[in-house]
Amino acid sequence: MTFAADLQVAPAVAMSLTNDPGSTNDPLQTATGVYVTIHGHFYQPPRENPYLDQIEPQPSAAPFHDWNERIHHECYRPNAFARVLNEQGEIIDLVNNYQYLSFNIGPTLMSWLERYDMEVYQRILEADRKSCDRLNGHGNAIAQVYNHIILPLANERDKYTQIRWGKTDFRSRFNRDPEGMWLAEAAVDYPTLEALVAEEIKFIVLAPSQAERCREIPTEENPDPQWHQVGGSQIDPTRPYRCFLPNGKYIDIFFYDGPISRDMGFSNVLSNCDHFVSRLGLALRGDHRQSQVISVATDGETFGHHKHHTQMCLAYAFTQEFPRRNWTVTNFAHYLSLNQPTWEVVLKPVTAWSCAHGVDRWQDDCGCGGGGGWHQKWRRPLRDALDWLRDELIKIYEDTGGQFFRDPWQARDEYIDIIREREASRNAHGSPANLENFLTRHQHHQLTESEQIDALRLLEMQRHALLMYTSCGWFFEEISRPEGVQILRYAAHALALAGDVTGIELETGLRDRLAQAPSNVASFQTGEGVYQQLVVSSQVSFQQVAAHYAISSLFTNYSPQERVYCYEARQLDYQLQRMGSLTLAVGQLQLVSEITRESSELVFVVLHLGGWDFHCCIQPFMGRLAYSQIKEQLFDTLKQASAAQIILAIAKLFGEQTFSLQDLFAEERQRIMQLLTQENLTRLEQLYSQVYRDNYGVLMAFHRDKLPVPQELQVAAEIALSNRCLTNIRALEQEASDSQLQLSYLAELEATATEANHLQCNLNIPQGKPALEKLIWRSLWQLLYKTNPETLEEDIHYIERLIDVGNQLQLTLSLDRCQELYFSRLHSSIQPQCQLTIRAHEILASNNGTDNNELPLSTEWNTNSLRQLLQLGEKLAVDVGACLSLLP
């Protein structure tokens, strides 16, 4: 039989080759039967503005703040709390899919999760711990090269730093060393394998198309096995392989099942669990081996984001279908510990899982990722431009860094420790003591304060020189896409940091090279146009941060020390005066970068002329006397109540450079815009409400006679009732401690909802949805964890009314977090107390109430309270039928 024929699927074995339930072999201890490994590659590119260390609003992700938030809502959190439903659509289990998935989560995404949703972050860490416990110390999580760069295209030093940073980041989170590592785009060549082995990575996961030939590992009995050509993706993915390197060392490789993995990403195979499991079963080989593994891999975002609700298919498969078939859910490291490779593989020279042309997708116009008639001729010039910049930065780092560090490259490798502390603590610069220890450990000599700042600038320069190679910048069809702009932002910040330390100007050289990268968008023409229009405009100076602080101080009561993005703002002096419609503020401000420790002491003046008109200027602090004179002159001029005179005085003292509302960072600018328009909106809302009240009878008459309502009257009704609903929802949020007021506002909200439905109004209250969801969650938490037996029935009824009014307002409430809260309390407290109550009832019934010695201890809730709590569970679509049916 030929090797290709040997790989043919044998459908008949799909059910027969299973773990024998009567066998004495434990499949977790001895390789026996069928194993299943489903790998999810969870990743988001770094999206933070490099100057602010924060993601700015991304309108394309609406209604969410940015794409991380949107994908988190659709994928990352739902997989931490994946629903298993009964036939009535009620929750019977909440499954942490990460406890069963093999997964890697990119460091940039994990850092965002750590900041944004600590509950999900902890669920992921807990899942890895539990998988370690279940699988003999082999956790589900594997590491990833740090910021997803294409390692075959990286220089040797960057290869090692990416691997070392990925390992250190992993260790700081999971408290163990990674056994495997996910390569960005599964891009690999032999120098990459040698680097992985040198850094003690035991295995990787690749696509079947990346193998060239394989054979059994030679033994004494069979010293020269036949090689099998598998370059057309014919390699058997149900076993691990060993790849021997030219230096005599080796790394183990798993090849995922290509057809099934493609079906998971691009067909509807995950829409039905039976369909999915049957599809997996077709991968089994009928060659009677003792064990084999079905391994598939796809982007983790498939489970919920690309394919909505498919995380529920996984949850049901993990907890119901796989056990029913006696398939063992495992991960690559555990399977490798039970089943060492008996086959070896030779890889193609350089390959990736998402490019049919090696790794040309990240350097050439190969056609991959194109579409719509657009070319990718910009890829090669972009790669060449960044390679040139990288090499120039290497010279600067070695020459100047050598003056600060004993070994600059070792310092860069270990700088990840400081990055992780900064991310984990989210305060100034991690633990100052650890930063001092880091500098002491690596410094060439005792560094002065200014030398420490330059040393940190150089390390940040190198960090951004790595970030500018994030693979997404080349992945798609156009250089001006957000991904391309983002890597150019990193490049711009890296060269700016180099200039700050050495005075060397690199921007002209970069722009000249970007001018050779043709854009598909006429308004940009080239990469240089993209850089000029989209990158330069996003750069941030100390002066801009100070202007942001100054203008926003008119609307925010800043404390003496505040965090403004990644800067510490210390207010050394501040004075504000109003004269008619004019508002003038003058202040002295010290800004300190949390990242590099560089600081700047500035003086600001901001004049608000009313409406949207702001006039702000910044200058360096020149001493106490000069500052006092500035204040005195400006406030004396303000007394004239002349906008022209005060603007002339500001120009004379501060010069011509000015900042306006447009120069504020996006979120604060939008907040102030809303505040400035609120007065006008309030007046308009009052006018619409008056029109609605005056014409209420007319509106009712039109509806009673089923006549079309005049648009002007219908719009007035919808705006008036929308405003009334929002007012009541906000009042409900604020009056949490006064139950009578809460009930009053809720009754008014219910009445307004009824009124809106009678008038067939389409209410526009998007802010009401998250507010009402939070209110329901808060009330439910109070009910379940701070129970007041005397008001239990009223409290439950209040929550039910909140849910009902949300439905009446057609807000499509998401009660996911309420369900998760209730489900946790159901299993930790309500269900056990139901069992105690049932047991007590049985004892009393058996002895006619004459002997109470065997009665269990009293419960937190009595029988009637438990019944009410269970009925609330029904309202939340949680399966509580078994408990309800058994309660006496």
Side-chain angles (χ1 to χ4, degrees):
M1 177 182 291
T2 66
F3 185 75
D6 186 47
L7 291 180
Q8 295 302 306
V9 172
V13 305
M15 291 297 295
S16 62
L17 183 59
T18 60
N19 300 327
D20 180 2
S23 170
T24 58
N25 291 333
D26 180 356
L28 297 181
Q29 304 295 331
T30 305
T32 179
V34 176
Y35 295 80
V36 180
T37 296
I38 299 174
H39 185 85
H41 163 51
F42 294 91
Y43 167 72
Q44 290 301 311
R47 290 192 165 97
E48 288 79 6
N49 181 320
Y51 297 89
L52 302 177
D53 194 33
Q54 188 162 314
I55 300 175
E56 296 175 290
Q58 296 178 309
S60 61
F64 298 92
H65 177 274
D66 54 69
W67 278 101
N68 280 18
E69 274 194 23
R70 178 167 178 169
I71 298 170
H72 175 72
H73 175 79
E74 296 171 349
C75 174
Y76 306 133
R77 187 175 182 94
N79 274 288
F81 298 93
R83 271 71 174 155
V84 176
L85 308 179
N86 61 18
E87 293 181 355
Q88 289 73 44
E90 297 173 322
I91 297 171
I92 61 175
D93 198 6
L94 287 177
V95 178
N96 186 348
N97 278 348
Y98 301 105
Q99 195 172 324
Y100 302 95
L101 280 168
S102 167
F103 65 86
N104 69 282
I105 301 183
T108 52
L109 174 56
M110 280 295 273
S111 296
W112 182 87
L113 285 170
E114 186 177 23
R115 184 190 305 195
Y116 180 78
D117 192 336
M118 182 57 74
E119 184 181 18
V120 168
Y121 179 78
Q122 291 296 339
R123 291 274 287 186
I124 291 168
L125 302 186
E126 177 189 33
D128 184 70
R129 287 193 297 270
K130 288 185 175 180
S131 64
C132 280
D133 293 341
R134 183 173 65 90
L135 299 173
N136 309 330
H138 302 284
N140 285 345
I142 65 173
Q144 178 197 291
V145 292
Y146 185 74
N147 64 275
H148 216 260
I149 78 171
I150 303 301
L151 289 189
L153 295 177
N155 65 25
E156 182 180 18
R157 194 176 283 118
D158 287 355
K159 276 186 176 69
Y160 277 91
T161 298
Q162 284 283 317
I163 295 167
R164 289 166 183 167
W165 280 21
K167 283 185 62 177
T168 301
D169 184 274
F170 182 95
R171 191 184 304 113
S172 73
R173 302 179 193 281
F174 295 99
N175 293 316
R176 64 180 180 86
D177 286 324
E179 297 181 78
M181 179 165 278
W182 185 266
L183 304 178
E185 303 296 337
V188 69
D189 60 2
Y190 274 86
T192 296
L193 295 180
E194 290 174 356
L196 291 166
V197 171
E199 294 304 311
E200 300 181 334
I201 297 299
K202 297 177 182 177
F203 70 87
I204 57 172
V205 184
L206 297 178
S209 60
Q210 295 176 271
E212 184 173 89
R213 64 182 186 273
C214 64
R215 68 173 181 176
E216 292 184 86
I217 295 176
T219 62
E220 290 184 7
E221 295 78 17
N222 186 8
D224 189 22
Q226 178 186 355
W227 284 101
H228 303 277
Q229 298 300 319
V230 292
S233 300
Q234 305 101 320
I235 196 164
D236 178 0
T238 65
R239 57 162 59 98
Y241 294 83
R242 183 150 289 171
C243 183
F244 292 97
L245 308 180
N247 60 13
K249 298 182 179 180
Y250 65 82
I251 190 169
D252 293 332
I253 301 177
F254 287 89
F255 295 93
Y256 61 79
D257 188 296
I260 299 178
S261 298
R262 279 193 297 275
D263 285 349
M264 290 169 65
F266 300 103
S267 78
N268 64 350
V269 71
L270 287 167
S271 62
N272 177 279
C273 191
D274 287 338
H275 185 194
F276 174 53
V277 176
S278 297
R279 182 71 181 88
L280 289 175
L282 295 177
L284 295 175
R285 295 325 200 229
D287 50 6
H288 308 295
R289 70 185 79 161
Q290 183 176 349
S291 70
Q292 56 183 291
V293 61
I294 306 170
S295 64
V296 292
T298 189
D299 287 336
E301 290 75 20
T302 299
F303 311 126
H305 172 57
H306 299 309
K307 303 283 186 179
H308 293 321
H309 309 301
T310 51
Q311 74 280 355
M312 293 194 293
C313 172
L314 286 186
Y316 192 81
F318 286 140
T319 59
Q320 305 293 323
E321 281 298 317
F322 294 162
R324 186 175 67 81
R325 295 178 180 233
N326 294 312
W327 291 357
T328 302
V329 178
T330 187
N331 59 49
F332 294 116
H334 173 251
Y335 189 76
L336 197 59
S337 72
L338 302 180
N339 202 323
Q340 288 292 302
T342 57
W343 285 67
E344 66 173 305
V345 66
V346 172
L347 300 180
K348 296 174 183 176
V350 55
T351 54
W353 76 341
S354 53
C355 180
H357 315 92
V359 290
D360 283 354
R361 186 169 189 161
W362 300 274
Q363 64 178 351
D364 274 318
D365 184 13
C366 70
C368 292
W374 280 9
H375 65 75
Q376 288 78 53
K377 295 177 182 177
W378 51 269
R379 283 179 177 162
R380 170 55 65 183
L382 176 61
R383 172 68 61 177
D384 290 344
L386 296 189
D387 283 349
W388 170 84
L389 178 59
R390 175 199 63 198
D391 294 342
E392 293 300 310
L393 296 176
I394 286 173
K395 298 173 190 174
I396 290 172
Y397 188 64
E398 290 184 334
D399 293 345
T400 309
Q403 300 172 26
F404 301 139
F405 302 119
R406 289 196 297 269
D407 183 340
W409 297 112
Q410 184 182 358
R412 183 180 82 161
D413 285 343
E414 295 183 15
Y415 185 54
I416 183 62
D417 295 327
I418 303 304
I419 295 171
R420 277 298 300 130
E421 283 194 69
R422 189 166 67 226
E423 291 171 345
S425 63
R426 302 313 307 169
N427 60 22
H429 18 254
S431 167
N434 287 334
L435 180 56
E436 295 297 338
N437 291 339
F438 171 84
L439 291 173
T440 300
R441 189 165 67 251
H442 291 286
Q443 65 189 4
H444 182 275
H445 59 275
Q446 184 63 46
L447 300 180
T448 65
E449 184 176 344
S450 63
E451 287 176 327
Q452 288 183 4
I453 291 171
D454 279 344
L456 291 171
R457 282 170 168 163
L458 288 174
L459 289 166
E460 277 297 298
M461 176 191 78
Q462 280 297 313
R463 181 169 78 94
H464 285 83
L466 291 170
L467 290 173
M468 72 185 185
Y469 281 111
T470 302
S471 67
C472 313
W474 287 267
F475 190 81
F476 298 101
E477 72 281 3
E478 166 57 18
I479 189 174
S480 62
R481 276 182 58 105
E483 299 83 3
V485 173
Q486 185 71 7
I487 65 170
L488 288 176
R489 282 181 167 190
Y490 291 130
H493 195 38
L495 64 84
L497 288 164
D500 290 342
V501 177
T502 66
I504 295 175
E505 195 276 319
L506 297 173
E507 186 176 46
T508 300
L510 178 66
R511 293 174 77 142
D512 287 346
R513 287 163 176 80
L514 290 175
Q516 306 304 311
S519 169
N520 291 284
V521 179
S523 59
F524 296 121
Q525 294 189 342
T526 68
E528 198 278 334
V530 173
Y531 186 93
Q532 176 61 36
Q533 296 180 47
L534 301 180
V535 176
V536 173
S537 61
S538 70
Q539 295 173 329
V540 176
S541 65
F542 274 110
Q543 287 75 17
Q544 286 169 280
V545 179
H548 172 96
Y549 180 96
I551 296 174
S552 61
S553 74
L554 302 180
F555 302 89
T556 304
N557 186 21
Y558 280 128
S559 63
Q561 191 162 307
E562 290 276 356
R563 187 175 192 270
V564 179
Y565 295 97
C566 59
Y567 296 89
E568 183 182 309
R570 300 169 185 170
Q571 188 186 98
L572 304 178
D573 185 67
Y574 186 79
Q575 186 173 342
L576 181 146
Q577 287 185 17
R578 290 185 172 87
M579 183 68 66
S581 62
L582 302 177
T583 302
L584 179 70
V586 181
Q588 179 189 353
L589 180 69
Q590 184 185 42
L591 293 172
V592 182
S593 167
E594 296 177 351
I595 297 173
T596 63
R597 287 183 165 184
E598 58 187 309
S599 65
S600 182
E601 197 165 327
L602 301 164
V603 173
F604 64 79
V605 59
V606 57
L607 175 68
H608 184 201
L609 295 96
W612 301 75
D613 202 353
F614 294 83
H615 189 84
C616 177
C617 290
I618 310 293
Q619 70 173 223
F621 177 72
M622 303 299 290
R624 177 59 53 192
L625 178 60
Y627 173 64
S628 299
Q629 291 173 343
I630 287 172
K631 283 176 60 178
E632 183 178 353
Q633 290 182 50
L634 290 175
F635 286 117
D636 283 347
T637 307
L638 180 66
K639 293 175 183 177
Q640 301 176 28
S642 167
Q645 289 299 318
I646 190 67
I647 290 174
L648 285 172
I650 291 172
K652 182 178 178 181
L653 293 167
F654 283 81
E656 298 300 322
Q657 185 181 20
T658 64
F659 299 90
S660 66
L661 183 64
Q662 189 60 35
D663 294 303
L664 263 69
F665 305 132
E667 284 181 272
E668 184 68 6
R669 180 175 69 248
Q670 292 162 12
R671 183 182 76 89
I672 291 176
M673 288 165 60
Q674 289 173 346
L675 289 173
L676 292 172
T677 56
Q678 191 56 53
E679 184 178 344
N680 288 336
L681 289 175
T682 300
R683 285 200 301 269
L684 288 170
E685 287 164 355
Q686 290 170 348
L687 287 173
Y688 279 115
S689 295
Q690 186 64 47
V691 170
Y692 172 61
R693 285 194 298 270
D694 292 346
N695 293 276
Y696 178 77
V698 176
L699 273 165
M700 292 301 294
F702 273 97
H703 281 287
R704 184 176 56 249
D705 290 346
K706 299 181 180 180
L707 295 173
V709 178
Q711 183 181 8
E712 295 80 358
L713 296 183
Q714 187 69 19
V715 168
E718 290 175 352
I719 292 175
L721 293 177
S722 294
N723 183 50
R724 196 190 303 170
C725 283
L726 277 178
T727 300
N728 285 306
I729 290 172
R730 287 168 181 155
L732 282 168
E733 286 184 291
Q734 295 167 2
E735 300 297 339
S737 59
D738 191 326
S739 59
Q740 291 305 312
L741 271 177
Q742 278 188 320
L743 291 173
S744 173
Y745 288 128
L746 178 55
E748 189 170 343
L749 181 62
E750 290 169 330
T752 304
T754 300
E755 191 174 335
N757 287 334
H758 284 164
L759 295 173
Q760 300 175 22
C761 290
N762 295 316
L763 301 185
N764 181 27
I765 47 174
Q767 311 98 309
K769 173 180 161 64
L772 206 53
E773 289 168 354
K774 290 177 184 175
L775 185 59
I776 295 169
W777 186 93
R778 188 177 68 194
S779 302
L780 181 63
W781 187 93
Q782 191 74 22
L783 172 75
L784 296 175
Y785 288 93
K786 300 286 184 182
T787 305
N788 181 350
E790 296 179 0
T791 62
L792 181 68
E793 185 173 356
E794 292 85 353
D795 293 340
I796 291 175
H797 186 50
Y798 175 72
I799 293 171
E800 291 174 337
R801 288 173 66 188
L802 287 174
I803 295 172
D804 288 340
V805 77
N807 294 333
Q808 197 175 357
L809 291 169
Q810 300 178 18
L811 294 179
T812 59
L813 293 176
S814 172
L815 298 178
D816 288 0
R817 297 199 181 203
C818 293
Q819 292 171 334
E820 292 153 13
L821 176 65
Y822 181 89
F823 191 86
S824 173
R825 193 64 168 155
L826 172 68
H827 287 271
S828 67
S829 186
I830 298 174
Q831 199 172 65
Q833 292 190 47
C834 285
Q835 293 168 350
L836 289 174
T837 300
I838 293 165
R839 176 63 180 152
H841 182 74
E842 291 172 347
I843 291 172
L844 288 173
S846 65
N847 60 28
N848 295 319
T850 59
D851 183 6
N852 295 337
N853 292 332
E854 296 183 26
L855 286 177
L857 297 175
S858 61
T859 62
E860 182 180 351
W861 296 299
N862 60 34
T863 303
N864 189 49
S865 297
L866 287 169
R867 182 174 289 105
Q868 292 173 338
L869 286 167
L870 291 170
Q871 289 168 344
L872 177 60
E874 288 185 311
K875 185 83 173 179
L876 293 170
V878 176
D879 179 20
V880 293
C883 289
L884 262 178
S885 63
L886 293 174
L887 271 183

